[in-house]
Amino acid sequence: MSVIVISGGRRLEGCVPVQGSKNSVLPILAASLLSGCVSVIHNCPDLSDVAASVAILEHLGCRIAREGDTITVDSSTLDRCDIPEHLMREMRSSAIFLGAVLARTGEARLSMPGGCELGPRPIDLHLSALRRLGAEIAEQGGGLRCSARSLQGCDISLTIPSVGATENAMLAACAARGRTAIYNAAREPEIVDLQRFLCACGAKVRGAGSDLVVIDGSVPLHSAEHRVIADRICAATWLAAGAAAGGEIEVEGVPREQLLPVTDLLAQAGCDVREESQRVTLISDGYLRAVPPVRTASYPGFPTDAHPPVMAALTKGTGTTVFVEMMFENRYRHTQELARMGADIRVEGRVAVVCGVPGLQGARLEAADLRGGAALVVAALAAEGESRIGGLHHLDRGYERLTETLRSLGADIVRV
Ligand code: UD1
């Protein structure tokens, strides 16, 4: 079983070009089913979740070629509409294939994506959006059977601006007759990227980035080429690492406004943050001061995925910071591991109270989920002595060449 070994306490210095966005590429790979033509997708990160999506596409009959960071999907050869349970389980966000397969074939059979490390992950909003569009969905024995003789455009009002439900509704609406309007849509940059890909295929989609997305469906689609946006959560993780370990780092490729909740917070915590349109530079002495309560929210609020690494950075320093997690129940499993490094964190339900300590000590640690794992890496970089981090399959879901990237910044980190 491989582990990451980090000797902490080294300053980080240098520039990181940020990888392609995991949360963009996954729905775009699913969306490549819609056209029945060839999609050339550039800047795909090398992640286990991407491999899982590719395995699903191959199972469905698509032909895939991968060269460097470009994945080419030929979905003209699609010949089935079922996704077996083992492929669904590989990836938490496999529910996105529901809307895509349904849109392409009028039918979809897949197992219910189960709960995940972050707690139950309901898809009720996805299902009710698809039902509004005319899909009949039977849920039996952990399986979903969806069919739609024809999908019909409609108004969909989401009770929560769910990212996945917005994406599923957009994909299915591309195959519906007439106009679909999604109210209270998620506004994340990844939704905008999905819209850009769909439009490149010829679809008529507008409004992404606002809370109203409008799709004029049943437009003929064609082959397309697309470049996936950079991953704002990876960028936030590198900034948190620089803030915690001390040093001067630059992240490149993410528009500065996408990082504002994180850069504002780190600036309030005492870091010197300089921003250009696609580049953020952060200078830190490695000791942060407490900031006002941090509450996660949908975009453009503070991203739940950046919560753990930023919390890890604030464990070393002065004062007390309150974190409130509004999205997922089990977001705090990394806090027990941070406590073993000497962090002072108390968790009560959705609230975590972090009292800054003068220093952290290296320890044997186990990642329990993707971003919690990133928090352990951030803390280990800032700690005195050696840390060994296991549970790397979680990190491999979201960070491409993690050890190489941090080593290029001067970290003492190896995977053994
Ligand atoms: C996506 C991201 C994930 C991020 C999350 C929130 C991908 C692949 N994953 O996940 O990294 O942490 O957005 O920014 O893009 N909910 C329901 N019913 C539903 C759907 C969601 O109650 O049918 C709830 C969820 O439990 C959660 C909230 O809505 O509390 C937001 O979830 P959602 O935006 O759907 O997250 P995901 O799309 O799963």
Side-chain angles (χ1 to χ4, degrees):
M1 207 69 98
S2 50
V3 293
I4 286 177
V5 182
I6 297 176
S7 288
R10 286 206 179 195
R11 280 168 59 82
L12 300 183
E13 225 149 277
C15 177
V16 193
V18 178
Q19 70 181 58
S21 162
K22 169 177 89 71
N23 289 352
S24 266
V25 73
L26 300 180
I28 287 170
L29 284 170
S32 70
L33 289 176
L34 261 54
S35 67
C37 300
V38 175
S39 301
V40 180
I41 307 164
H42 302 292
N43 203 28
C44 297
D46 185 11
L47 304 171
S48 58
D49 271 9
V50 171
S53 294
V54 165
I56 290 175
L57 291 170
E58 281 175 333
H59 168 84
L60 292 170
C62 300
R63 280 197 299 246
I64 311 283
R66 178 155 198 159
E67 205 182 321
D69 69 6
T70 298
I71 296 180
T72 303
V73 182
D74 177 355
S75 64
S76 65
T77 46
L78 179 130
D79 57 4
R80 56 198 303 169
C81 65
D82 67 300
I83 305 178
E85 192 177 345
H86 73 276
L87 290 177
M88 287 295 289
R89 278 190 186 283
E90 284 281 302
M91 184 180 54
R92 310 295 165 205
S93 43
S94 48
I96 189 66
F97 278 93
L98 191 56
V101 176
L102 187 70
R104 174 74 191 279
T105 67
E107 212 182 331
R109 289 198 308 277
L110 35 87
S111 64
M112 195 81 163
C116 75
E117 307 99 356
L118 303 181
R121 202 101 173 218
I123 58 163
D124 52 314
L125 299 175
H126 305 228
L127 300 185
S128 64
L130 298 177
R131 285 188 172 115
R132 293 256 330 143
L133 285 159
E136 283 173 25
I137 306 177
E139 302 169 49
Q140 25 175 252
L144 289 171
R145 296 179 83 89
C146 312
S147 61
R149 233 170 274 128
S150 74
L151 294 166
Q152 182 63 50
C154 64
D155 287 343
I156 294 169
S157 175
L158 297 175
T159 48
I160 303 173
S162 153
V163 173
T166 303
E167 292 166 344
N168 249 327
M170 285 165 75
L171 297 185
C174 284
R177 274 183 289 136
R179 178 165 292 182
T180 299
I182 307 170
Y183 292 89
N184 198 27
R187 293 180 285 166
E188 269 68 0
E190 295 76 23
I191 306 279
V192 179
D193 206 24
L194 178 60
Q195 171 176 287
R196 279 180 47 238
F197 173 73
L198 291 170
C199 290
C201 295
K204 299 272 175 275
V205 185
R206 60 193 156 84
S210 78
D211 59 5
L212 174 59
V213 178
V214 178
I215 303 104
D216 287 311
S218 287
V219 176
L221 303 183
H222 48 69
S223 293
E225 193 162 350
H226 179 80
R227 186 176 172 81
V228 172
I229 57 170
D231 194 309
R232 62 196 168 97
I233 304 302
C234 284
T237 305
W238 308 138
L239 291 173
E248 175 168 349
I249 70 159
E250 267 174 33
V251 294
E252 201 175 54
V254 180
R256 59 175 283 276
E257 63 275 10
Q258 290 183 16
L259 290 169
L260 271 179
V262 172
T263 49
D264 270 2
L265 183 150
L266 293 174
Q268 286 182 68
C271 301
D272 180 0
V273 179
R274 297 170 197 172
E275 297 164 300
E276 293 163 50
S277 69
Q278 301 273 332
R279 182 196 305 259
V280 173
T281 306
L282 177 137
I283 303 168
S284 166
D285 64 8
Y287 288 92
L288 302 188
R289 52 174 185 261
V291 295
V294 183
R295 179 182 284 260
T296 61
S298 303
Y299 191 83
F302 193 92
T304 172
D305 291 347
H307 198 181
V310 167
M311 177 191 287
L314 280 155
T315 55
K316 198 178 78 176
T318 55
T320 300
T321 302
V322 174
F323 290 86
V324 188
E325 171 55 48
M326 301 303 291
M327 297 281 168
F328 297 112
E329 283 176 19
N330 272 348
R331 223 358 154 193
Y332 287 144
R333 291 199 292 172
H334 57 282
T335 57
Q336 292 165 9
E337 300 296 280
L338 294 177
R340 298 178 57 234
M341 304 177 79
D344 181 351
I345 308 182
R346 258 154 274 174
V347 175
E348 188 72 48
R350 290 181 178 278
V351 178
V353 180
V354 175
C355 298
V357 294
L360 301 171
Q361 296 83 45
R364 282 177 181 266
L365 306 163
E366 189 70 19
D369 60 72
L370 167 58
R371 305 305 170 185
L376 303 185
V377 171
V378 167
L381 292 167
E384 287 302 316
E386 184 180 282
S387 296
R388 299 174 81 86
I389 303 175
L392 301 188
H393 58 285
H394 294 296
L395 284 159
D396 292 339
R397 289 186 44 228
Y399 295 92
E400 174 184 77
R401 293 190 285 277
L402 174 90
T403 48
E404 290 82 348
T405 301
L406 288 167
R407 225 177 6 250
S408 76
L409 294 173
D412 185 342
I413 177 170
V414 283
R415 183 169 180 148
V416 291

